[in-house]
Amino acid sequence: MKIYPLSIYTNYKRFNTENSKPENKIVENNLKNKTNLIPNTYMYPLLFGARVDKGLERFYEANKDRMPLTVSEYIENLDDKSSVSPLEAHKKAFELLEISQTIDDIKSAYPNEPLFRDLINPGESRATRGILNSVKENEELLALGNQGVLKDKSNLTVYLVKKVFLENKTIEEINADLEKDLDDDFKADFKFKNEKSQYIYTSTLSSLGIKPPKPEYRQSLRYTLDGYSDAIGEKISAGQRAFWDSMPPEERTARNKKSVEKFENWWYSHTKNEILDMIAAQTTALEMLNDFKKFQRGGTSKPKSKSVQQENPVSETSKPVKTGSDKLSRDELFIKWATNNLKLYVENLSEAEKDTLHIKRMQRLVTRWEQMSPEARTDYISKLKSGSEPLRYTMIDAWNHSTDLIKDLSVHLRQNQIYKPSDLLYSTEAFSSFQSRVMTEFWEQHPHYTDLLGKTIINSQKKVQAAISNGTFEELKKQIMRDKNQRVKELDKFKQNAFAVSDDSRPHVKPDYILELKNVYTKVLAGQLKNLPQEYIDDYFNVIEKDFSREQVEAWIRNLNGEPALDGDYELLTQISKTESNDGAKINRAIEAALADVIYKCTGDAVVYKLSHSDLKVSLAQIARGENCIDIISHKLKERFSIPIKNRAIDQKRIAMLYHQYKQPLDEKELEFIVTDYFFPSFGAIDNLMDYLATYGRSLNIIFSEKSSYPKEVKQAMFEKFMDNRPDEISEIPCLLTFGAANDPFGREEKIKKAKYMFAKRFNFVPQIYMDRYLREIGSLARMDISGTMLEDFVTATQRRSDINSSAKLAIFKKNKLRATDALRTLAIEEALADVLYEATGNIDVYKLEFEELCDNIELFSSVKKFPSSTRYFTAQNGEAMELSAKKRPNTANLRQKYLDYINEIVDWSNTDVKEGRGTFEDLLFILNPDENMPQKDEAVSQRIKLYNLNLK
């Protein structure tokens, strides 16, 4: 082992003695006055792995026959293969994947790449299990909730292509990323159905047409990323670390200073302006390394702007030299130094230099104006108008030269209740979140104005910069302000003409007392409001204007200002505190659910879902203030809560997103499903119940949707608040969640959900169009069964049999408990299933069997390998002993169409004969058995119809 320190010391010493003198006097002078930017210590010198030659030429020779065509073509077109690493070449070749959002984007960007030719969307896959099947099952539901398979709603195929080709990740690594990136509801549904399965396998990629590069190439690429991983290299590195640890701190620091001396010389060979240009262009450590290498080769190196293409030619006499392994050993050390150097340099700038740096950054940023999103353009304008003097006057001058733009913009602002556009445009304050949203909407609706404004800003920047350089900035400022005053006058005149219309069409102006309340409220309760969505604040004051009288609002203002109360103020304030209109209830329930979600993530305590909106606003403010514990007295619940805070990560974007989502109404059919599945509405009270449910909007899905990924303690807490808030007129309507399992209703819901899934999975040949209705009905019946035996029987019935002779308990539910519409649907599916079983067995008695018995027999005979099968003996639900054997495998391919044929005829009959009081038993029998020459079938079907107790003549 003694050889390790010796080889390290020799190599390290040689590395530090090269070019140790300053190259010129400029460098020497700069070094005398510079701030010491060298860290006191570095952990270790460069390890053995960092010295291994991973140059692109060698990499290409080893992999040219197995790398993707796109990478091969990119490398072949490089003039200097020493300028980039293999990993950089791979990423550069596939850089268009970064901005690709669809499969078509990928195919159009790389039309010649064979690995992308067979890509398909997840919904086009033929997969019948795993994540791709879950995507197809949940696609419509996710779309309704404005969600996607992934949190960012991106295409799963495109996501996986990026993981494979941009990040070179393994299946295990991709699965780890999916754990963080999948939508929570989708992930919960997938895990529920695939408890022990990982998200993707190699076969998943194949199903989507994703063909990863050859394993040898990917492994080689990983070595360039992870470094030399040979066992000998690890031993050498271990010896190197031991040697470095043995040094005293003084010697370690001295060696590090010597190591970075050439970097310092290079850094201070630039003028201050050049250094600021480099930082303003956000030059990375890797880009600085390339400049440093040019400097070493004998050429000149100047900072390059990312947006302004400016290069200093290398001397004709100096030829590019391939960087060998002895020079590559410096790269990692340089990058560490450069990263540290940039940070310290910026921190030590004067305020004037920081202003200069900010101006340079903004000047470079505008060159990317055309590629910016509407949100980024709004943010850029906001930074200009609230920045230093040169930036502010640049934006004022740009507005001055955009007359048509500011006229149309003023109309848009007025439509969004911003009545003084000149104050907004010419102010020196950054946009508020509401103002930003309004401005962004304008850029989205008027793209032609954004292009014009970008060019105008660039022209104004040049004008201001020239004035600063010439010493005429003060004169220019005066001219810009004169132009501004003229534009403001023109804008005021335009507003008077543009809005001189009838009162009916004039934009709504809020009363003075509402504006005063808003002003006082936002000042007094600023701490509670700063994390709330602007959309909610706007809705809040709209409800106040609509529902409260002027007297009530003025009493509220006096109370907020701490002014003495007038006679009657107490009664007015009491009315406000006890009044909750329908519109007020909708926004309050939505903000409660949104805030509870975020506060639950901060505390882990589900009790927050019991709190009112005012309690939650106070709780959020306490978290934002840095309190250790939420400590509130709930006036609504008349209880004190002390909830420890585990983290303070308040996600404002999530609050805004959830509020907008939760305040969206459920459609009438969704509300009907909740009523019929979870309640016993008495006659005349169903409308009141529906009205109450509607106030919760889509937050109701937290309680009643099987797709809800929230834990059962959250559902339980929110359900308790839901029940406590019920108005008197519906307080007596029983909710099935309280039946029989009042202590753990959502534990029972999980069992029902699991049993329904397993039942559908066992009899997957039954058309989903019917199975969904059947399972919903079974769920309701299981909730009504106080004893719980029905659910246990149903769970038992989900167990698949291994062969035709195996025994299993079969749960058969009484058909006379079904609603009329569900009864007719069940008769139709039974007839379709009996047709399938009759074709396989030839036994007419199958038409006597009920839905569950028919499914059981079709499943059993479908598992037979040799036909004719052995005979099956069993006792049917009607008490008859039956013998069945199959001559051939049951064919369920046309089962869905058979069902639709029967149900469509039944629907037509119901809408005509039954509705007019002419529906008879014989009519229904004829629909189910139109063949008059099969009396035995008539008898069997008649026997089955009678089980339903339908009210027919």
Side-chain angles (χ1 to χ4, degrees):
M1 297 298 287
K2 291 180 181 179
I3 192 171
Y4 301 154
L6 181 60
S7 65
I8 292 166
Y9 178 76
T10 305
N11 221 349
Y12 195 74
K13 184 176 181 181
R14 186 187 71 223
F15 167 64
N16 284 308
T17 54
E18 294 178 327
N19 304 322
S20 60
K21 295 180 180 179
E23 278 82 346
N24 51 54
K25 290 183 178 179
I26 297 174
V27 176
E28 201 168 48
N29 292 335
N30 277 322
L31 288 171
K32 286 178 183 177
N33 302 316
K34 69 183 179 182
T35 305
N36 181 17
L37 301 175
I38 306 168
N40 290 330
T41 58
Y42 281 94
M43 287 298 292
Y44 295 103
L46 297 183
L47 300 181
F48 180 83
R51 303 175 185 213
V52 177
D53 184 2
K54 304 183 188 73
L56 187 59
E57 282 188 0
R58 179 173 172 228
F59 178 86
Y60 177 68
E61 287 302 318
N63 292 283
K64 62 183 178 182
D65 295 330
R66 55 197 185 198
M67 62 175 49
L69 178 64
T70 301
V71 182
S72 176
E73 289 177 347
Y74 175 78
I75 295 175
E76 287 170 359
N77 290 326
L78 285 174
D79 294 328
D80 179 13
K81 292 186 176 61
S82 65
S83 61
V84 293
S85 70
L87 189 63
E88 288 172 328
H90 176 89
K91 288 186 175 179
K92 198 72 177 173
F94 287 115
E95 65 180 351
L96 292 179
L97 287 179
E98 288 279 10
I99 59 173
S100 296
Q101 297 182 357
T102 66
I103 289 174
D104 291 337
D105 290 344
I106 296 176
K107 291 182 177 179
S108 62
Y110 300 98
N112 300 323
E113 179 53 69
L115 300 181
F116 295 155
R117 285 176 188 165
D118 298 328
L119 293 178
I120 61 172
N121 289 308
E124 299 168 4
S125 166
R126 296 182 179 179
T128 57
R129 56 197 177 104
I131 194 169
L132 298 183
N133 188 49
S134 291
V135 171
K136 289 188 283 188
E137 287 179 347
N138 289 277
E139 199 165 17
E140 290 185 10
L141 189 65
L142 289 170
L144 284 173
N146 195 27
Q147 297 169 272
V149 174
L150 296 154
K151 288 178 181 176
D152 62 4
K153 305 178 193 173
S154 60
N155 182 291
L156 181 62
T157 301
V158 175
Y159 172 89
L160 294 175
V161 168
K162 290 180 180 180
K163 290 293 175 184
V164 171
F165 286 90
L166 279 181
E167 301 178 35
N168 194 31
K169 292 203 170 182
T170 63
I171 294 294
E172 291 74 18
E173 290 169 334
I174 296 173
N175 276 305
D177 288 346
L178 284 169
E179 182 67 33
K180 298 177 291 184
D181 296 339
L182 285 173
D183 177 84
D184 291 337
D185 288 340
F186 176 82
K187 183 165 63 175
D189 184 66
F190 174 83
K191 287 186 174 180
F192 174 75
K193 297 177 181 178
N194 306 270
E195 288 183 66
K196 299 180 180 179
S197 172
Q198 61 188 41
Y199 296 115
I200 69 161
Y201 299 86
T202 304
S203 59
T204 312
L205 301 181
S206 301
S207 297
L208 294 173
I210 301 174
K211 300 174 183 176
K214 292 185 178 179
E216 299 85 357
Y217 170 76
R218 297 187 71 188
Q219 187 69 8
S220 182
L221 199 62
R222 288 182 76 83
Y223 280 143
T224 72
L225 176 64
D226 298 334
Y228 190 78
S229 59
D230 185 85
I232 296 174
E234 286 298 317
K235 290 181 181 178
I236 294 174
S237 294
Q240 186 180 5
R241 285 193 292 270
F243 169 70
W244 188 252
D245 286 340
S246 69
M247 290 183 188
E250 298 80 9
E251 184 179 354
R252 204 179 303 173
T253 301
R255 284 175 178 268
N256 278 322
K257 287 184 176 181
K258 187 72 175 175
S259 301
V260 300
E261 187 176 62
K262 288 183 291 301
F263 306 156
E264 295 272 280
N265 294 341
W266 167 79
W267 176 259
Y268 286 100
S269 69
H270 299 87
T271 65
K272 176 150 287 190
N273 198 45
E274 288 170 345
I275 291 174
L276 291 177
D277 279 337
M278 192 187 309
I279 299 171
Q282 297 181 321
T283 308
T284 65
L286 283 174
E287 290 170 327
M288 288 173 61
L289 176 59
N290 290 331
D291 282 345
F292 171 66
K293 286 181 178 178
K294 284 184 180 180
F295 179 79
Q296 284 189 298
R297 291 171 187 158
T300 58
S301 170
K302 294 295 179 185
K304 293 186 297 182
S305 167
K306 290 182 177 181
S307 56
V308 181
Q309 299 299 321
Q310 179 183 351
E311 293 186 9
N312 293 304
V314 179
S315 170
E316 293 180 4
T317 58
S318 64
K319 296 181 180 179
V321 180
K322 179 186 175 183
T323 308
S325 59
D326 61 325
K327 293 184 180 179
L328 281 171
S329 62
R330 308 177 201 179
D331 291 4
E332 187 178 328
L333 185 61
F334 179 92
I335 291 170
K336 287 182 180 179
W337 170 84
T339 303
N340 184 71
N341 199 57
L342 286 170
K343 180 181 177 183
L344 289 175
Y345 192 88
V346 172
E347 287 175 355
N348 286 296
L349 289 174
S350 67
E351 290 303 315
E353 288 170 335
K354 286 180 180 177
D355 283 344
T356 302
L357 176 60
H358 184 52
I359 292 169
K360 286 177 178 288
R361 280 177 171 162
M362 297 301 283
Q363 287 172 341
R364 281 165 172 76
L365 188 59
V366 78
T367 59
R368 299 209 312 269
W369 181 267
E370 291 182 1
Q371 288 77 44
M372 287 184 191
S373 65
E375 293 84 355
R377 288 171 178 161
T378 298
D379 184 59
Y380 182 82
I381 294 169
S382 182
K383 288 176 180 175
L384 279 183
K385 69 196 288 291
S386 61
S388 59
E389 253 196 356
L391 296 178
R392 293 202 305 271
Y393 278 92
T394 294
M395 196 61 240
I396 294 171
D397 187 66
W399 289 131
N400 290 344
H401 290 84
S402 305
T403 309
D404 292 338
L405 162 61
I406 60 177
K407 286 180 179 178
D408 284 352
L409 180 55
S410 69
V411 174
H412 177 78
L413 294 175
R414 189 179 180 92
Q415 289 171 346
N416 285 274
Q417 299 184 9
I418 298 174
Y419 301 107
K420 294 184 178 180
S422 57
D423 289 354
L424 174 65
L425 301 180
Y426 289 112
S427 76
T428 59
E429 295 180 358
F431 292 135
S432 69
S433 58
F434 171 69
Q435 292 166 347
S436 294
R437 178 158 57 82
V438 173
M439 293 291 287
T440 299
E441 288 175 359
F442 181 80
W443 305 134
E444 290 171 344
Q445 296 167 12
H446 302 82
H448 62 289
Y449 276 138
T450 61
D451 297 336
L452 291 172
L453 183 60
K455 294 173 183 176
T456 307
I457 291 174
I458 291 172
N459 291 335
S460 297
Q461 282 180 341
K462 291 177 181 177
K463 184 193 298 186
V464 170
Q465 194 63 39
I468 293 173
S469 302
N470 299 332
T472 58
F473 184 46
E474 290 302 319
E475 288 76 7
L476 179 63
K477 284 164 54 178
K478 292 175 183 177
Q479 181 59 49
I480 289 174
M481 292 308 290
R482 284 195 293 270
D483 292 342
K484 171 205 163 183
N485 293 334
Q486 183 61 31
R487 293 294 92 77
V488 172
K489 289 178 183 177
E490 292 173 0
L491 195 56
D492 289 341
K493 188 175 181 180
F494 168 77
K495 282 165 52 184
Q496 291 174 6
N497 295 330
F499 298 105
V501 291
S502 65
D503 290 339
D504 292 339
S505 59
R506 186 173 297 163
H508 174 69
V509 178
K510 288 189 178 300
D512 291 341
Y513 65 91
I514 294 294
L515 294 176
E516 184 181 357
L517 173 67
K518 188 173 183 180
N519 182 49
V520 174
Y521 192 94
T522 52
K523 284 181 180 178
V524 175
L525 300 174
Q528 293 185 27
L529 298 179
K530 71 175 183 177
N531 288 307
L532 298 184
Q534 185 63 45
E535 183 180 5
Y536 168 73
I537 294 173
D538 294 340
D539 291 342
Y540 184 75
F541 287 102
N542 287 339
V543 169
I544 291 172
E545 180 185 359
K546 178 175 176 291
D547 294 335
F548 297 128
S549 67
R550 183 182 189 117
E551 290 76 16
Q552 288 175 310
V553 173
E554 288 175 344
W556 195 352
I557 293 171
R558 287 191 290 273
N559 179 264
L560 288 171
N561 280 329
E563 298 173 5
L566 302 180
D567 291 341
D569 275 7
Y570 177 78
E571 289 76 14
L572 292 170
L573 292 173
T574 302
Q575 291 170 9
I576 291 175
S577 64
K578 292 185 176 181
T579 300
E580 188 178 56
S581 66
N582 196 47
D583 290 335
K586 288 177 180 177
I587 67 168
N588 288 339
R589 299 299 84 77
I591 198 66
E592 281 173 358
L595 292 179
D597 176 278
V598 172
I599 296 174
Y600 176 67
K601 285 179 168 58
C602 294
T603 63
D605 194 333
V607 74
V608 298
Y609 278 87
K610 290 184 178 181
L611 302 179
S612 69
H613 60 94
S614 56
D615 296 334
L616 290 164
K617 290 170 191 171
V618 174
S619 301
L620 192 70
Q622 290 182 1
I623 294 172
R625 284 202 305 267
E627 305 285 349
N628 294 322
C629 182
I630 292 173
D631 190 5
I632 60 169
I633 298 175
S634 174
H635 295 292
K636 186 176 181 64
L637 298 176
K638 296 179 174 55
E639 185 178 349
R640 182 167 190 154
F641 292 90
S642 183
I643 308 168
I645 299 169
K646 297 180 179 178
N647 71 76
R648 293 176 178 79
I650 297 174
D651 191 341
Q652 290 177 308
K653 289 184 178 179
R654 181 169 177 81
I655 296 173
M657 180 272 291
L658 288 177
Y659 172 72
H660 181 76
Q661 177 181 324
Y662 287 150
K663 81 171 195 175
Q664 304 307 313
L666 292 169
D667 63 44
E668 193 168 337
K669 182 171 287 188
E670 290 173 308
L671 290 172
E672 286 176 359
F673 281 164
I674 293 174
V675 170
T676 55
D677 289 356
Y678 292 94
F679 291 91
F680 261 140
S682 58
F683 182 79
I686 186 168
D687 290 338
N688 293 330
L689 177 59
M690 294 272 279
D691 289 342
Y692 176 63
L693 293 172
T695 62
Y696 278 81
R698 294 205 166 272
S699 68
L700 212 56
N701 287 332
I702 296 174
I703 303 174
F704 296 112
S705 172
E706 290 186 350
K707 298 293 184 181
S708 172
S709 61
Y710 287 93
K712 65 179 184 179
E713 57 268 21
V714 164
K715 298 178 183 179
Q716 178 65 40
M718 187 167 172
F719 176 67
E720 289 176 16
K721 180 167 71 174
F722 168 85
M723 296 296 283
D724 291 341
N725 285 347
R726 289 176 301 168
D728 293 339
E729 58 266 26
I730 63 169
S731 60
E732 300 302 320
I733 299 177
C735 179
L736 299 184
L737 287 174
T738 62
F739 274 40
N743 294 329
D744 188 20
F746 293 98
R748 180 177 64 182
E749 286 300 297
E750 284 298 313
K751 288 183 181 179
I752 293 173
K753 177 181 175 182
K754 184 75 173 177
K756 287 164 68 173
Y757 169 70
M758 295 301 295
F759 189 87
K761 189 174 182 181
R762 177 182 175 187
F763 301 123
N764 58 8
F765 50 84
V766 177
Q768 190 172 354
I769 192 174
Y770 171 78
M771 184 61 88
D772 288 346
R773 299 285 305 202
Y774 173 80
L775 292 176
R776 282 186 51 245
E777 190 70 30
I778 295 306
S780 295
L781 294 174
R783 293 180 191 103
M784 285 187 279
D785 180 33
I786 297 176
S787 67
T789 55
M790 180 178 179
L791 179 56
E792 296 304 320
D793 290 345
F794 188 51
V795 170
T796 303
T798 62
Q799 305 302 313
R800 189 185 294 272
R801 301 194 194 189
S802 56
D803 57 62
I804 196 170
N805 296 314
S806 62
S807 59
K809 187 175 181 180
L810 188 64
I812 300 177
F813 303 109
K814 293 182 178 180
K815 303 302 183 287
N816 58 3
K817 291 186 177 181
L818 294 174
R819 302 178 185 91
T821 54
D822 289 327
L824 294 173
R825 287 189 182 92
T826 306
L827 278 169
I829 194 65
E830 284 177 342
E831 200 68 20
L833 289 167
D835 286 345
V836 170
L837 192 58
Y838 178 69
E839 289 171 5
T841 63
N843 191 332
I844 202 72
D845 286 339
V846 299
Y847 287 97
K848 298 177 181 178
L849 300 178
E850 297 183 44
F851 169 72
E852 297 85 357
E853 294 175 298
L854 289 162
C855 290
D856 183 53
N857 279 287
I858 290 176
E859 178 202 37
L860 287 174
F861 288 122
S862 294
S863 66
V864 174
K865 295 180 179 178
K866 292 181 67 177
F867 293 95
S869 70
S870 57
T871 302
R872 179 176 181 238
Y873 303 94
F874 67 97
T875 302
Q877 179 69 10
N878 62 9
E880 291 187 26
M882 296 191 68
E883 300 178 9
L884 284 182
S885 63
K887 295 177 289 185
K888 58 181 181 180
R889 188 180 306 279
N891 180 10
T892 58
N894 296 321
L895 183 59
R896 187 176 188 275
Q897 190 56 51
K898 288 176 181 288
Y899 167 70
L900 290 176
D901 290 342
Y902 284 123
I903 195 62
N904 287 339
E905 279 200 64
I906 290 174
V907 168
D908 289 341
W909 169 69
S910 298
N911 290 335
T912 53
D913 293 357
V914 174
K915 189 174 285 187
E916 295 173 7
R918 293 184 283 104
T920 65
F921 185 93
E922 285 74 16
D923 293 337
L924 181 57
L925 181 60
F926 180 77
I927 292 172
L928 297 176
N929 179 28
D931 192 340
E932 297 179 356
N933 297 319
M934 295 185 70
Q936 284 181 289
K937 182 179 176 182
D938 266 355
E939 183 182 345
V941 173
S942 297
Q943 185 176 323
R944 183 161 46 82
I945 294 175
K946 291 174 183 176
L947 297 174
Y948 290 82
N949 289 343
L950 295 172
N951 187 22
L952 296 171
K953 298 176 183 177

